[in-house]
Amino acid sequence: MDNLIPVLVAVPLLGAALLLCGGRRLDRVGHLLGTLLAFASFGVGLALFFSMLGRATDQRPIHDHLFTWIPVNGFQAEVGFQLDQLSMTFVLLITGVGSLIHLYSIGYMAHDEKRRRFFGYLNLFLAAMLLLVLADNYLLLYVGWEGVGLASYLLIGFWQHKPSAATAAKKAFLVNRVGDVGLSIAVMLMFTTFGTFAFTPVFAHASQATQATLTGIGLMLLLAACGKSAQVPLQSWLGDAMEGPTPVSALIHAATMVTAGVYLITRSSAIFNLAPTAQLATVVVGAVTLLFGAIIGCAKDDIKKALAGSTMSQIGYMVLAAGLGPIGYVFAIMHLVTHGFFKAGLFLGAGSVMHGMNDEVDMRKYGGLRKYMPLTFVTFGLGYLAIIGFPGLSGFFSKDKIIEAAFAHGGTEGWILGTCAMVGAAVTAFYMTRVMLMTFFGERRWVDDAEGNQPHPHESPAVMGIPMVILAFGSVLAGGLFSINSSFVNWLSPVTGYEEGHSPLSTTEVTTGTMVVLVLGVGVAWLMYGRRPVPAVPPLGSLLTRAARRDLLQDDFNHVVLVSGGSHLTRFLVYLEGRGLDGLVNGIAALVGGTSGRVRRVQNGYVRSYALSMFGGALVLVATTLLMRAVA
Amino acid sequence: MNPVNYLYLAALLFTIGAVGVLVRRNAIVLFMCVELMLNACNLALVTFSRLHGNLDGQIIAFFTMVVAAAEVVVGLAIIVSVFRTRHSASVDDTNLMKL
Amino acid sequence: MTSTGEAVQFWVLAVVAVGGALGMVLCRKAVHSALCLAGTMIALAICYMAEGAVFLGIVQIVVYTGAIMMLFLFVVMLVGVSSADSVKEVLKGQRVAAVVGGLGFGVLLCAGIANANLHSFQGVGAANQAAGGNVPGLAALIFTRYVWAFEVTGALLITAAVGAMVLTHREATEVKQSQRELAEQRVRLGTQVTPLPAPGVYARHNAVDAPGLLPDGTPAEISVNPTLRQRGQMRHLGSDLLRRMGELEQSTAGWLGRKAPKPRSGAELARVESEETEQREVESK
């Protein structure tokens, strides 16, 4: 039973290999094969899950060493899998949501001629993501980390005939590279400090390392997490990543891959717990990003980009929670799972809407769609209620816990973080209500497109509807299930550790507070978008709105600071190189050349001139001889 | 008179020959200057022979004459063939030996 | 110390030798240089004899002055007797550098001689007498101690002779044309069927370098030997020549009993002179 772990990874990897190398003969069945293998992987995951449940808590983590990858004296790179409660959670989330999205994609990509390749990439992604969460050492984790990056790149640029998609893919890849550098430095630091990559010895010896080393490793891991999870300052790629097909946005850029950063921080809890500076940096990043993403989400008219801002914001919550230490890890992962459900559901709903609206993404051209797409409306609505934290739905449990933990951090910091989280919750309620109202309520605003085709909003086929329904169930129930008897805390705490937070505010006070800000956010949104018709052309808006529409100037910042700064630096270096190094080299060459040019004139071809030189030489010889004799 | 004066004479003739080589452009005159230098050497050798009281210096002078004869034969042949091709006996016209 | 006679002889010969050497360097014409050099060599030959090297003195006169210098003169003749160095120096600073370097070199040599330990002075008489004379003495050395060098110099001489032949020999690349063929060719080409005209006859010293005159009074260049023309030794029929021809006609009129033609007018001479200067200018360009 336990040696099934490699199968988890192998099954989707086989699918990717078959679909990507199989050629056209698999075009007809490729999507079915890919989906089947994803479900098979999920089945294996479930089997392992039940096997794990059947064991005592301290027996639950299992370890499967496969082979030694690089056997060098003093450098042992192992390939081994470690399946504990944390990995298990991710395995189920990845394979479960992944399978549903495979299923959904059958309908969504039905008319795409590159569908086989799409499913190949999806399977590749599943394999890489599973490798990432199952690895028992950082080097193998790095392989999975790069694998998901590759899959993300391939899928964002899946419609690479669109320049915007190709650019977005490149942007995501490049920004992720910055984070990957952080991870590789962290891994190298670990190796130099501990002499190994494996989780167990590294965490066991973490306390023996110096504070500076631990802080360095922690900050580098945080950089990696920022890159992969689209946290400030490496957040700019996520909005553009929405150029990919919507199922990809749902699976990779909402539910699973972007949460890899949270996994990394939680997995490295032993290091972060010992590095308060890195933890502080983590909570700051989380708090900043949760507001940053939320503000962007408020201003976007593109439904997917609004959801992308939301994703950024929600991952900000998770990173914030993970940065809080043992009081937050469990809730970070819990929010990650519930977010996986409702955000995937929301994206699938958005995809369904787009599917019915001729791939229109501008919410100002929607309106009143609830009548045309009842199923999408209901599932999207449940996801909406879950994300804003409507009492009883999953977001309510997970997000409130994070807000509570933020207050429990203690001191002024706790108050600041808690307030940020609270404000974030209000803004979340606002922008999600805005999305909801603009899409499903109000009057119809859609118009003929350029070719004169009027969209005919219609419900999506069942193959797309079923995953949405299942995810909606997850969105509704997951939080409650996890919270009954603190079952999720009990499940995960052996791995991540758990401490009861001592919040200055009681649970009731926090819940009341979140309810108030929830109502506030929804109310304001209803006042702005529900009561008044939504203008088809976006109003100019305030300075903040305009900045938020430009993703809070993140690209402008990157352009001015990194691109222009980089090119100026490069130009300066080129100048320095040209004038300095080359100048030196060229100067020497010119000196030699000039001297030879002058000396060359001595070689004038006149034999008498040469005779004169000889004569001069003889003169010197005689003079020297006489001089030497005189001296001697 | 000290026989060393012969050596001074030889030095003077040698120097005149050397300067002549450098100054004159006619290849034949150039050659004559070289001959003058050789003769100056011969005078020095003969004088050394006298100074040291043995005949070896004279032998060397004799060999010098033989070699000079050989040199003149070849040199003049070269001058004649150069004159044939370039219609000039000036060493300045044979200035292809340059960059 | 030498005898007073030798001292007198030395000073005379030294003056002659140095004068000859300077003359050789300074004369513009190669022939003059060769003659100056011959004088120097004879002076040196006498010096050799005075120093007891009788054999070398004779060889110097016979081989050097007699053979080698004559070879020089032959070559000078081949290349052109009157070809002289132009006064203008092409190489900048060559003359000054040569003179300065020569002075320095001479001073150094003299300093070297003055510093050398040359006070003991043995004379070669004893050595000569021991072998029974200068020639037997040299022969004894050449054929015993220096026999190897002697053989090698013999080989060198042979090589030099062969080399000279190789250098000056020109391979005939085509069959030499017979007189008949040449005549046929002349007729075929038709440019100059008759024999070439003879050079001018109104000459003072060497008639072959003066071109003959065509009936209209212009010079016929083909009448001068091509070699002379190539060397640029053809005498231009200038005003000078015309004047001399006029003088010649005047002077011969008496004893030949002929009526002398009217001397050419000054205007006519001036015209020829201006033509002459024009021609020179063209040539100099």
Side-chain angles (χ1 to χ4, degrees), chain C residues 27-49:
Chain C
C27 280
R28 286 189 60 205
K29 291 199 172 183
V31 180
H32 298 165
S33 292
L35 292 176
C36 288
L37 183 59
T40 304
M41 284 179 170
I42 291 169
L44 287 180
I46 299 169
C47 280
Y48 295 166
M49 289 186 221

Side-chain angles (χ1 to χ4, degrees), chain A residues 26 56 95-96 119 174 196-197 207 249 257 296 491 508 510 574 620:
Chain A
L26 286 177
T95 55
F119 279 87
L174 284 175
T196 175
F197 306 113
S207 54
S249 310
M257 188 195 83
I296 291 176
W491 161 256
T508 326
V510 172
V574 165
V620 171

Side-chain angles (χ1 to χ4, degrees), chain C residues 204-215:
Chain C
R204 283 288 173 85
H205 52 4
N206 187 4
V208 283
D209 64 347
L213 291 182
L214 292 174

